[in-house]
Amino acid sequence: MAAGTLYSYPENWRAFKAQIAAQYSGARLKVASSAPAFTFGQTNRTPAFLSNFPLGKVPAFQGDDGFCLFESNAIAHYLSNEALRGSSPQSQAQVIQWVSFADSEIIPPASVWVFPTLGIMQYNKQATEQAKEEVKKVLSVLNQHLNTRTFLVGDRVSLADISVACSMLWLYRQVLEPAFRQPYPNVTRWFQTCVNQPQFKAVLGEVKLCEKMAQFDPKKFADMQPKKDTPPKKEKAAKEMSKPQEKKEKKKEEKKAAPVEEEMDECEAALAAEPKTKDPFAHLPKSPFVLDEFKRKYSNEDTLTVAVPYFWEHFDKEGYSIWYGEYKYPQELTMTFMSCNLIMGMFQRLDKLRKNGFASVILFGGNNESSISGIWIFRGQDLAFTLSDDWQIDYESYSWRKLDPDSEETKTMVKEYFAWEGDFKHVGKPFNQGKCFK
Amino acid sequence: MYLLPCHPFAQEVCEFAKMALRELSSLEKALGLKKPNKYSTQGDNKQVPVLQSNSGPALSGLVTIATHLVKQANRADLLGESAEHRAVVQQWLEYRVTKVDGCQKEEIKPILKDLNSYLEDKVYLAGNQFTLADTLMYYGVHHIIMDQSVQDKETYVNVTRWFDHVQHYPGVRHHLHPVVILKNRLYTSSHH
């Protein structure tokens, strides 16, 4: 009887396959998924681990006798008994057939559909819609097969059921809402039966089927983006995760499976390893300029005699930058109240930026002949909007110019925009009203 | 085990009693009970099996005896995992003796229809585990399924699938003939 240790991160569905197989076969399996036994991202990069498992990926299995295995299907196979593997050459081949089916037919579209809903991948409508179609195809194949069968191969649970059910876990949890799964009753019956077997339950716990299809949540996605203590390599990978992959997908549909699966490990790793909230400015060193203190002065005291002098006295040009932003399409501005809504809407969407930003934005002119421009203060030297996907909705409609904090022009503009009074020489329209982002 | 001679006028009823006795004997084997119990039958028209036991009163009726055997074998899990599932098991045991046993020819169709729609989203009759309800229902409908045409089997595909699963369940079939079930459909146009 096989016995050993399974290295993994917590809640890894690939590891589940091996764990469930061990439940059926009685193989003694220790799971190392948390410190001190195993820390994902650290332990699997140590030379000792890499010498046993050159890919550095998990799950990875090491037997008590020293026998090492990587690749989840191989591990699950090793930990199975004959009943799970299939007793005849035919049923063994059928088991492999369904295990491969899970990897090549289910996982790629399931990932494209589900990952954005978990906030670990950027959403792409076209890719998601196509993935849904592919999932439907998979479901109808399974539904057909399970019409006359209780389990996928033979009359009992086999490794085929374990693999396919595990690969559908996220689908059933996140997106297969009742209306979507309704045409595939045989699949749902089979899935429910599998995950409610004591051996599955011991590993998976209670599996609750999705009630309402989860949608992409940009906020969650922004929160999931790596922060400073993430190793740089991973940060890069996570950032590239969305866009290049989607491009790839459009260009060469047929070669999609491989890259998606590769990305997925990173996605899953991110899912497992990343804490929930992210501060996009966390990578910056501390600044002596306390933005909140300035905001208090600006709100409570006279602007020209107290707030502006305070600003210049304490402004930290290393830690902060000053920007001039002007709305690019003034000809589209009609009624002034609508223009104000435009500004306030932008402020609302930038809500999370408030802690690290300040702006005074002014609407000039009247109905049908107005313009919008403002002065923005951000933490850091770069335009802050690119740091979060949440913040990218409006900023492209503005032209941005970084101001030199030492120039006279900047001094004048800051004074005029902060005070909402002055010549505003570059504008050429009278002040209408000002809005403050603080 | 011994059988009481049957009353000649109750030939048909007696068949059920015999069937029940065979069933109980199969159940004993399925449960791994080493020492077979002693049974008799009682009643004038309605022949019911009776379990003679040394300790305590005689038990009568298929469901009562089967439930007792399951407990004797320390397999209470076969009566359902939760209170809810135990109730469902009892419900189907009752269905078996009141509806399925002795059903007339014209009653077969409604029974199959019932079962078929019930089993559409279920693998087992009660909960997600094999229970005594599956065993006794399998014994009870075996003669119906034996007589079915391939087309019937496809019409009631959920019953057929369940039946096939149960007859392959380890240790269940015993005294009954295996029924050949086709996994590939012949009449594709019929409803699924």
Side-chain angles (χ1 to χ4, degrees):
Chain A
M1 185 64 66
T5 306
L6 186 70
Y7 298 101
S8 173
Y9 51 83
E11 291 297 304
N12 179 355
W13 69 269
R14 291 180 196 273
F16 287 163
K17 295 186 280 188
Q19 291 172 256
I20 296 169
Q23 287 283 331
Y24 274 96
S25 71
R28 278 183 294 110
L29 186 64
K30 294 186 288 284
V31 180
S33 62
S34 57
F38 180 81
T39 308
F40 184 74
Q42 288 175 21
T43 316
N44 55 321
R45 298 211 171 104
T46 59
F49 191 91
L50 290 170
S51 78
N52 285 332
F53 311 105
L55 287 169
K57 285 187 174 185
V58 293
F61 171 84
Q62 183 161 24
D64 291 347
D65 54 1
F67 177 62
C68 288
L69 267 181
F70 58 91
E71 283 298 335
S72 61
N73 293 330
I75 300 169
H77 181 89
Y78 180 65
L79 294 171
S80 293
N81 53 19
E82 192 188 284
L84 290 182
R85 290 178 196 141
S87 43
S88 66
Q90 284 86 351
S91 55
Q92 284 162 9
Q94 284 173 320
V95 166
I96 296 175
Q97 164 192 293
W98 289 109
V99 169
S100 310
F101 174 84
D103 278 354
S104 51
E105 303 297 322
I106 304 176
I107 290 304
S111 310
V112 171
W113 186 6
V114 171
F115 284 161
T117 72
L118 294 169
I120 47 181
M121 197 168 100
Q122 178 58 280
Y123 171 75
N124 176 298
K125 187 161 192 293
Q126 207 183 342
T128 297
E129 290 309 313
Q130 207 209 320
K132 280 185 193 175
E133 289 309 308
E134 286 170 29
V135 168
K136 278 184 191 166
K137 176 109 192 291
V138 164
L139 285 171
S140 66
V141 167
L142 284 170
N143 197 57
Q144 185 70 26
H145 185 75
L146 291 165
N147 189 19
T148 58
R149 293 169 182 86
T150 298
F151 295 113
L152 289 171
V153 178
D155 297 296
R156 314 305 309 275
V157 169
S158 72
L159 203 47
D161 301 290
I162 297 174
S163 270
V164 177
C166 284
S167 71
M168 296 182 78
L169 256 186
W170 282 109
L171 281 175
Y172 267 110
R173 275 183 183 157
Q174 283 293 109
V175 293
L176 296 186
E177 63 182 7
F180 194 96
R181 61 183 190 245
Q182 187 267 332
Y184 317 104
N186 301 323
V187 187
T188 303
R189 179 192 62 239
W190 160 85
F191 182 80
Q192 289 268 54
T193 304
C194 286
V195 298
N196 279 296
Q197 295 305 302
Q199 296 87 343
F200 279 73
K201 258 183 160 170
V203 174
L204 304 177
E206 200 70 44
V207 177
K208 209 174 160 298
L209 299 202
C210 160
E211 306 216 331
K212 196 167 178 305
M213 192 184 289
Q215 303 293 334
F216 175 60
D217 180 355
K219 212 165 186 159
K220 211 167 173 182
F221 178 68
D223 289 348
M224 294 296 288
Q225 292 306 294
K227 66 172 184 184
K228 68 164 183 183
D229 58 359
T230 320
K233 180 187 161 280
K234 202 157 133 206
E235 190 165 332
K236 191 165 149 267
K239 261 186 197 150
E240 286 171 353
M241 182 181 301
S242 50
K243 283 168 193 162
Q245 187 192 330
E246 274 147 21
K247 263 185 238 146
K248 254 184 262 166
E249 237 157 66
K250 274 180 213 153
K251 272 191 221 150
K252 31 181 183 175
E253 294 293 358
E254 72 283 358
K255 287 192 177 174
K256 190 184 48 184
V260 171
E261 219 167 340
E262 261 174 42
E263 306 274 356
M264 197 176 51
D265 281 331
E266 291 290 343
C267 284
E268 285 168 346
L271 175 66
E274 293 304 324
K276 290 293 170 235
T277 52
K278 300 279 161 355
D279 179 0
F281 294 93
H283 60 286
L284 295 174
K286 268 196 154 44
S287 167
F289 179 55
V290 184
L291 193 60
D292 282 339
E293 191 50 43
F294 160 72
K295 287 179 185 173
R296 253 192 297 282
K297 290 268 187 293
Y298 183 81
S299 305
N300 303 329
E301 316 249 24
D302 182 64
T303 305
L304 284 178
T305 60
V306 182
V308 172
Y310 177 92
F311 177 80
W312 287 118
E313 208 178 314
H314 294 89
F315 182 70
D316 162 31
K317 57 186 176 186
E318 313 295 330
Y320 283 83
S321 53
I322 307 173
W323 294 77
Y324 173 73
E326 185 176 344
Y327 191 63
K328 282 199 276 196
Y329 316 105
Q331 67 282 0
E332 288 175 18
L333 298 172
T334 55
M335 310 303 281
T336 53
F337 75 89
M338 287 164 76
S339 307
C340 286
N341 288 347
L342 188 74
I343 300 170
M344 294 314 282
M346 177 185 191
F347 286 359
Q348 266 166 33
R349 285 183 281 275
L350 295 173
D351 200 36
K352 280 198 176 158
L353 182 57
R354 284 180 204 276
K355 215 177 129 227
N356 293 290
F358 170 84
S360 178
V361 177
I362 295 175
L363 174 71
F364 297 96
N367 290 344
N368 301 314
E369 42 148 14
S370 41
S371 70
I372 295 171
S373 54
I375 295 291
W376 294 73
I377 315 290
F378 299 128
R379 192 81 171 81
Q381 294 303 314
D382 302 313
L383 214 48
F385 305 110
T386 50
L387 291 173
S388 164
D389 264 42
D390 275 359
W391 300 342
Q392 300 192 9
I393 299 164
D394 304 89
Y395 93 103
E396 280 175 326
S397 312
Y398 290 77
S399 59
W400 296 96
R401 182 156 66 90
K402 192 174 179 180
L403 301 180
D404 172 10
D406 294 320
S407 78
E408 268 322 300
E409 184 215 22
T410 306
K411 301 259 190 245
T412 309
M413 285 174 88
V414 164
K415 192 176 83 180
E416 292 181 346
Y417 274 87
F418 281 16
W420 296 357
E421 58 184 344
D423 298 331
F424 296 108
K425 275 194 187 122
H426 62 290
V427 177
K429 289 190 180 74
F431 173 89
N432 183 308
Q433 53 190 298
K435 299 284 173 199
C436 217
F437 178 78
K438 58 186 181 189
Chain B
M1 182 175 93
Y2 68 97
L3 303 175
L4 283 187
C6 287
H7 194 278
F9 300 121
Q11 190 72 49
E12 222 175 290
V13 180
C14 187
E15 274 308 305
F16 282 115
K18 270 191 201 159
M19 205 176 92
L21 295 179
R22 276 199 297 268
E23 256 182 82
L24 288 169
S25 145
S26 291
L27 184 62
E28 284 178 345
K29 287 181 200 146
L31 291 169
L33 290 170
K34 294 278 181 305
K35 247 174 57 190
N37 289 287
K38 282 192 170 176
Y39 299 99
S40 60
T41 54
Q42 72 171 30
D44 292 335
N45 289 326
K46 215 161 185 217
Q47 301 276 346
V48 285
V50 176
L51 170 64
Q52 321 277 13
S53 89
N54 300 329
S55 52
L59 298 174
S60 68
L62 178 69
V63 171
T64 314
I65 298 171
T67 308
H68 171 75
L69 293 178
V70 164
K71 286 182 180 158
Q72 203 180 13
N74 274 328
R75 290 296 309 273
D77 57 301
L78 289 175
L79 298 174
E81 290 177 299
S82 62
E84 200 186 22
H85 291 159
R86 279 191 289 276
V88 178
V89 169
Q90 289 307 313
Q91 170 199 304
W92 285 109
L93 294 178
E94 198 180 322
Y95 186 94
R96 151 75 207 269
V97 282
T98 57
K99 291 261 167 74
V100 179
D101 285 358
C103 70
Q104 303 299 309
K105 230 186 161 73
E106 64 272 17
E107 290 171 315
I108 289 179
K109 250 188 175 176
I111 288 173
L112 288 172
K113 245 178 115 179
D114 261 13
L115 271 176
N116 194 58
S117 68
Y118 181 78
L119 286 167
E120 182 176 7
D121 60 351
K122 291 170 198 73
V123 165
Y124 302 107
L125 285 173
N128 293 295
Q129 315 300 331
F130 185 85
T131 64
L132 183 63
D134 295 297
T135 312
L136 290 200
M137 187 64 81
Y138 161 72
Y139 291 152
V141 300
H142 185 271
H143 68 282
I144 298 175
I145 307 293
M146 279 290 273
D147 291 346
Q148 272 186 334
S149 66
V150 172
Q151 193 166 12
D152 283 340
K153 289 196 183 84
E154 290 196 8
T155 306
Y156 306 108
V157 63
N158 300 318
V159 177
T160 310
R161 187 193 55 246
W162 163 83
F163 184 88
D164 195 37
H165 183 60
V166 177
Q167 74 170 349
H168 283 97
Y169 207 87
V172 169
R173 214 190 72 235
H174 286 291
H175 68 288
L176 297 170
H177 289 288
V179 176
V180 175
I181 307 280
L182 299 177
K183 295 286 167 82
N184 295 314
R185 312 202 51 156
L186 299 179
Y187 304 87
T188 45
S189 58
S190 68
H191 39 89
H192 74 86

